[in-house]
Amino acid sequence: MQRLLYNSLKEWKKKKNRKPLILNGARQVGKTYLLTEFGKREYAKVAAFSLDRQEQVRAIFEQDGNVERILRGLSAVSGIDITPNDTLVILDEIQDCPAALTALKYFCEDVPTIHVAVAGSLLGLSIHGNTSFPVGKVDMLKLYPMSYEEFMMALGKTKMLDLLKSGDWDAIKPLANDYIDILRQYYYVGGMPSAVMAYIQGLGLNEVRNIQNQILYDYSKDFSKHAPAKEVPRIQMVWRSIPAQLSKENKKFIFGALRKGARANDFEMAIQWLIDAGLVYKVNRVDMVKMPLKFYEDFDVFKLFMLDVGLMGAMVEAPASAVLLDNNIFTEYKGAFAELYVCTQLLESGLPVYYHSSNTSTIELDFVVQASEKIYPIEVKAGINVHSKSLRTFISNNPDLKGVRFSMLPYIDQDWLSCYPLWGLIGGMLSDMSERCS
């Protein structure tokens, strides 16, 4: 299955000042598969090691930081001569060998012609312990679950995707029902590669849901395995509360919804653990919508989103019939599916995402994104009922900005608002943003 990050890997290989690469991301988003495919296609040789299973390899790194000795050992174990510029060394599950993470510094300084790429679930957690993280000595990329665009490619809908990305709404409009059907499928399957693979192989909806439930179970086991014991119950509480929090009218994260009398201090570490693990995205509030947005970020008020819309469907046990057939999926759960979907697609575009609410009025913007020198105030509506005063009032008070609305209505461009269908996110604002940032 094609991943858009593949092109970034090719750019990394060509860099003159290339450093060892850390491919970060949550467990089971396809990091190992992507690096392996990249190595097979772009290098003469691949030397791959699993640090969670190969004790002998861990021992090689744990002796000292002598890179020549490390390379000799890795060559001996793999049976592959690791030579400059034509061999990709892949270190998988690097969080199980902190010494290997530290060694990336020596690879950068002593043998820059050796191409090293590492992957590891829960990698973000390892840098908070006693590990000496190679600051400034590594390149970093982040892999998310498969986007709606990647899902369309996996389904073989490349011509429909190209048409969508063209922004030719007159040509796109007659195919609206087909695009809606694909969006329904994405809501159910999501972007976890194993679930997508089962779906395109025709293994059935039940198998897709079984895979999603297994992933959720594995994540839960990770809580107990990797997190401090006293934080595990709190991590579980936060994790399980996210769908319910997103189904409220006001989707701001409420600590009191976890348990009576809960305070932020009680759950800060639990939330940060989930963020570091890549399982949760934190979208902070900005109290003013001005450039640069970062100046107006409020770290104490935020929304939490799960990493994948398909996993949220599995967590809330949304029936396949409700997602794939019933129009209520676009309106039930207070638009939680739609907002999560938009959030994940925006984050995968590589831009920071915020939301806005005012302390002095009832105005709330679901998301605010800054791309280059332009700010996008965004409203998300799950269905065709788009009556809301917040965005209209906000634009009236800020006439220099233009609103963006995602809903199930057709595309329309007005003086104060660009309205895109949810299924047209790729050919809508994201295309505009990519042009501005190119």
Side-chain angles (χ1 to χ4, degrees), residues 143-420:
L143 186 65
Y144 292 87
M146 295 176 69
S147 66
Y148 178 57
E149 180 175 354
E150 291 171 325
F151 182 71
M152 288 190 71
M153 291 189 292
L155 293 181
K157 304 294 185 180
T158 53
K159 292 190 180 299
M160 289 184 65
L161 177 60
D162 290 341
L163 178 60
L164 199 57
K165 293 170 74 174
S166 74
D168 185 350
W169 294 103
D170 289 335
I172 293 169
K173 187 176 180 180
L175 298 174
N177 288 336
D178 296 317
Y179 286 114
I180 291 171
D181 184 56
I182 295 172
L183 180 61
R184 287 177 178 277
Q185 294 174 60
Y186 185 69
Y187 275 14
Y188 184 83
V189 179
M192 301 306 288
S194 56
V196 175
M197 180 64 76
Y199 186 66
I200 63 176
Q201 290 177 342
L203 299 184
L205 300 176
N206 288 335
E207 180 60 20
V208 169
R209 183 52 56 86
N210 289 338
I211 290 171
Q212 292 167 336
N213 285 330
Q214 183 62 50
I215 293 172
L216 291 172
Y217 175 78
D218 291 342
Y219 286 165
S220 181
K221 296 293 287 185
D222 280 341
F223 301 161
S224 300
K225 179 179 178 182
H226 295 284
K230 67 177 183 179
E231 292 298 325
V232 172
R234 295 171 183 171
I235 291 171
Q236 291 278 15
M237 291 171 68
V238 172
W239 175 245
R240 292 170 180 166
S241 80
I242 292 175
Q245 299 260 5
L246 291 179
S247 68
K248 304 192 310 295
E249 290 289 350
N250 180 358
K251 294 176 174 58
K252 179 183 76 171
F253 190 83
I254 304 295
F255 289 95
L258 299 176
R259 70 183 182 202
K260 187 176 180 179
R263 299 172 299 173
N265 289 343
D266 298 331
F267 290 90
E268 282 181 350
M269 287 186 62
I271 291 173
Q272 191 60 50
W273 194 97
L274 288 166
I275 294 170
D276 287 341
L279 303 184
V280 161
Y281 306 138
K282 184 182 181 185
V283 175
N284 289 328
R285 184 182 79 122
V286 287
D287 51 25
M288 298 187 70
V289 183
K290 294 182 178 181
M291 297 256 276
L293 290 173
K294 190 73 176 174
F295 278 2
Y296 305 100
E297 187 172 10
D298 181 354
F299 293 93
D300 294 327
V301 183
F302 54 87
K303 302 178 185 179
L304 288 185
F305 294 88
M306 292 182 65
L307 75 162
D308 179 66
V309 66
L311 290 183
M312 187 174 78
M315 184 179 283
V316 301
E317 301 179 3
S321 59
V323 180
L324 296 169
L325 301 175
D326 191 346
N327 284 333
N328 289 338
I329 188 60
F330 298 118
T331 55
E332 287 182 347
Y333 309 106
K334 299 294 192 300
F337 278 90
E339 193 162 334
L340 174 57
Y341 158 72
V342 172
C343 178
T344 55
Q345 306 311 296
L346 292 175
L347 286 170
E348 290 194 35
S349 73
L351 295 171
V353 178
Y354 306 93
Y355 87 100
H356 169 69
S357 62
S358 172
N359 291 323
T360 58
S361 71
T362 58
I363 292 176
E364 179 168 330
L365 302 175
D366 295 317
F367 299 108
V368 185
V369 174
Q370 178 182 326
S372 186
E373 297 180 356
K374 186 172 182 179
I375 288 177
Y376 294 83
I378 301 169
E379 181 178 76
V380 178
K381 294 296 182 182
I384 60 174
N385 182 0
V386 296
H387 296 294
S388 172
K389 295 181 179 180
S390 282
L391 184 58
R392 186 69 186 249
T393 303
F394 176 82
I395 298 299
S396 296
N397 296 335
N398 298 271
D400 55 321
L401 298 178
K402 186 173 183 177
V404 174
R405 175 184 290 146
F406 293 106
S407 70
M408 294 307 293
L409 290 175
Y411 168 78
I412 185 172
D413 190 36
Q414 300 172 284
D415 290 340
W416 69 280
L417 173 70
S418 294
C419 182
Y420 299 103

